[in-house]
Amino acid sequence: MRTIYFGTFVHSLALADLQVIPSAAVGVAENGTIEFLDQNASSAEASAERHSWPAGSYSVVASDPSSASFFFPGFFDTHIHASQYPNVGLFGKTTLLDWLNSYTFPLESSFSDLKVADNVYSRVIARTLGNGTTTAAYYATVHAAGTNLLADIALKAGQRAFIGRCCMDANSPDYYCDKNLEEAQKATLEVLDHIKKIDPNHDIVSPILTPRFAASCSKELLCWLGKLSTETSLPVQTHISENLLEVELVKSMHPFAASYAGVYDKCGLLHDKTILAHAVHLTDDERLLIAKRGSGVAHCPASNSALTSGETRVKWLLDAGVKVGLGTDVSGGFTPSILHTARQALLVSRHLSMKGDETHKLSIEEVLYLATLGGAEVCGLANKLGNFLPGKKWDAQLITLDCKNSPVDIFPWELEKHEDLVAKWLFNGDDRNVAKVWVDGKLVAGTAFISFQ
Ligand code: GUN
Ligand code: FE
């Protein structure tokens, strides 16, 4: 049945343009597509009449007007390692390369056991959906069977997901790697076939080609993946310039290119469907090359702080026209929440600005853009997701700040101050405030969904 959502709506129209609509109605067709967005709507029924939707042909979901609640677009997590979820918070004082060896590879290698994969993947998807993540770009592990299972679980849970089998045929431990190029190719194609079978049009789950990073792939594997992405138009995700030792390692492993970004470019991996995680230590030439190729950056501030990787210059990237979204980078990042990651993005930008350049500072509006529409752009989905404009899909959250056990205290005089409510949500809110989560028009998660079940 069609649905009219009625109440307060908050969404991004552009980087610094966060629109708050105190009383609006959004009409959503049976297939999950938004048909209208009425600003200044007096009621769902009045909007139905205006759009010739007969009584009885639609249901109504209204946010309680006396409560501090609003509809917000679903979050995009543009970079998350589903398999690393058990390790959130476990990093000690390590930095990237020793963290990979001591914490990450041992955990990922255990995904040869499908029982481990089933348990972890089910829980990370439930947790991210419950935090309002309606689209996620997932790294799985090298194992094809486990990666296929991740796709199955995401599809069943109704979370939009890019699913990547991790390719790593060089410079990796013997106990955890692709044994050779042929094995990497075979396992990669196996996953593509499986996802094609379970979701032929990739409406909800899509494969994504995933060279782990240039430091764990041979040139041959990188170029094979680049060629495959050109032939199939499949998206690509990888890491770039996260850590200074990593940058040096990539230079020594791949002297055929002048820079880290150049390695990906020479192998055909830098294009408008490429998601580059981190991008902390890029040179200006690399920034311009990435902008020219139309690739996007997954900014992972919690991870970059935890692993002391550095501070990504988000404004500097945006100024050159590079698309930017947010990534939790679980478990380099300790939180599966994009709301928390947006908070971290705002704080990291202030650390950059404290070094003397105020232009780095990101506002609340800007980090919430990165969490939604910016993420949609990075994932190549801005034409169908990211805000509530007609023609897009209803991927949304109902946020309630004055719910039972809320971590946010709201006072009576604040109820009409919607911008203040959004600020309080950004800094203190969490999944207890996520009452409902919809993907493609279907209710899939949220505290109200769980208590209803
Ligand atoms: N670079 C290569 N692999 C990884 C990973 O698993 N996490 C992060 N943060 N960086 C990486
Ligand atoms: Fe990562």
Side-chain angles (χ1 to χ4, degrees):
M1 202 186 231
R2 298 187 283 192
T3 308
I4 296 181
Y5 298 89
F6 179 76
T8 301
F9 288 74
V10 180
H11 67 162
S12 283
L13 296 173
L15 178 62
D17 188 1
L18 186 73
Q19 189 182 33
V20 178
I21 322 172
S23 180
V26 169
V28 178
E30 180 121 33
N31 69 359
T33 302
I34 298 173
E35 290 206 353
F36 61 81
L37 163 58
D38 281 354
Q39 307 196 14
N40 300 316
S42 56
S43 67
E45 292 70 27
S47 277
E49 209 175 310
R50 219 175 127 212
H51 295 276
S52 308
W53 286 24
S57 75
Y58 62 91
S59 57
V60 176
V61 177
S63 66
D64 178 356
S66 64
S67 88
S69 65
F70 53 90
F71 295 98
F72 195 80
F75 288 136
F76 281 74
D77 189 340
T78 61
H79 182 71
I80 170 166
H81 299 259
S83 54
Q84 294 173 17
Y85 181 52
N87 272 356
V88 280
L90 310 185
F91 51 91
K93 285 191 174 177
T94 55
T95 55
L96 177 64
L97 300 178
D98 54 327
W99 170 79
L100 283 173
N101 283 312
S102 48
Y103 291 91
T104 307
F105 295 151
L107 173 61
E108 289 191 17
S109 74
S110 71
F111 281 64
S112 55
D113 180 344
L114 283 178
K115 283 201 292 298
V116 173
D118 191 17
N119 183 10
V120 174
Y121 289 153
S122 300
R123 287 171 79 161
V124 71
I125 285 174
R127 180 67 66 188
T128 53
L129 261 182
N131 276 280
T133 298
T134 51
T135 304
Y138 285 118
Y139 267 63
T141 61
V142 294
H143 313 98
T147 306
N148 291 343
L149 186 58
L150 176 61
D152 295 342
I153 294 170
L155 184 61
K156 183 149 180 263
Q159 185 179 51
R160 286 187 205 278
F162 293 91
I163 306 284
R165 190 199 75 89
C166 203
C167 293
M168 40 195 292
D169 72 334
N171 197 32
S172 303
D174 285 344
Y175 72 87
Y176 186 59
C177 62
D178 288 312
K179 296 282 175 280
N180 51 50
L181 177 64
E182 292 68 36
E183 192 173 287
Q185 292 169 329
K186 187 167 159 278
T188 299
L189 295 175
E190 211 176 304
V191 172
L192 302 194
D193 282 350
H194 179 77
I195 298 179
K196 187 95 193 141
K197 268 193 210 114
I198 61 168
D199 189 1
N201 297 321
H202 304 328
D203 290 326
I204 299 292
V205 289
S206 165
I208 184 164
L209 302 176
T210 305
R212 180 170 206 120
F213 64 159
S216 63
C217 293
S218 65
K219 183 183 177 192
E220 291 68 31
L221 179 54
L222 292 172
C223 291
W224 180 77
L225 289 166
K227 190 159 165 277
L228 184 61
S229 88
T230 309
E231 288 166 1
T232 57
S233 292
L234 282 173
V236 170
Q237 62 181 351
T238 191
H239 297 88
I240 195 167
S241 282
E242 175 177 359
N243 165 291
L244 289 171
L245 290 173
E246 168 212 8
V247 174
E248 288 310 309
L249 181 59
V250 168
K251 261 191 205 149
S252 66
M253 270 180 78
H254 299 294
F256 65 88
S259 67
Y260 199 153
V263 174
Y264 293 138
D265 193 43
K266 283 225 151 105
C267 291
L269 286 163
L270 213 56
H271 51 65
D272 63 356
K273 288 187 169 177
T274 304
I275 305 176
L276 299 165
H278 301 284
V280 182
H281 302 287
L282 296 180
T283 63
D284 201 34
D285 282 349
E286 289 178 294
R287 170 177 73 143
L288 299 177
L289 175 63
I290 290 165
K292 196 163 148 196
R293 297 287 184 255
S295 306
V297 165
H299 173 41
C300 306
S303 170
N304 295 339
S305 298
L307 297 181
T308 44
S309 300
E311 297 142 324
T312 301
R313 294 155 289 171
V314 171
K315 272 287 179 68
W316 178 79
L317 291 169
L318 291 167
D319 282 349
V322 176
K323 303 176 289 188
V324 184
L326 295 180
T328 58
D329 192 31
V330 162
S331 67
F334 49 83
T335 175
S337 156
I338 283 292
L339 185 71
H340 194 161
T341 304
R343 194 181 300 160
Q344 296 286 329
L346 186 137
L347 293 179
V348 165
S349 78
R350 272 129 221 267
H351 279 272
L352 271 171
S353 86
M354 281 188 273
K355 292 177 186 164
D357 183 354
E358 285 274 317
T359 62
H360 288 297
K361 205 180 266 189
L362 293 169
S363 65
I364 289 170
E365 292 77 9
E366 288 168 334
V367 295
L368 290 175
Y369 163 88
L370 299 178
T372 55
L373 190 56
E377 292 198 341
V378 168
C379 292
L381 293 171
N383 59 341
K384 72 173 214 180
L385 296 167
N387 59 23
F388 296 128
L389 295 183
K392 296 202 181 189
K393 291 289 190 171
W394 180 254
D395 280 24
Q397 323 175 46
L398 176 60
I399 303 299
T400 304
L401 296 180
D402 43 6
C403 58
K404 201 167 145 231
N405 297 325
S406 177
V408 191
D409 285 310
I410 302 298
F411 297 90
W413 59 88
E414 293 177 317
L415 284 174
E416 300 301 314
K417 295 184 176 172
H418 298 290
E419 280 79 5
D420 290 0
L421 294 179
V422 169
K424 292 186 77 159
W425 171 55
L426 172 63
F427 288 106
N428 283 309
D430 66 23
D431 55 350
R432 287 168 286 187
N433 303 114
V434 183
K436 294 182 180 179
V437 180
W438 296 266
V439 174
D440 216 30
K442 286 184 217 57
L443 185 62
V444 293
T447 55
F449 176 76
I450 289 163
S451 60
F452 176 72
Q453 279 202 319

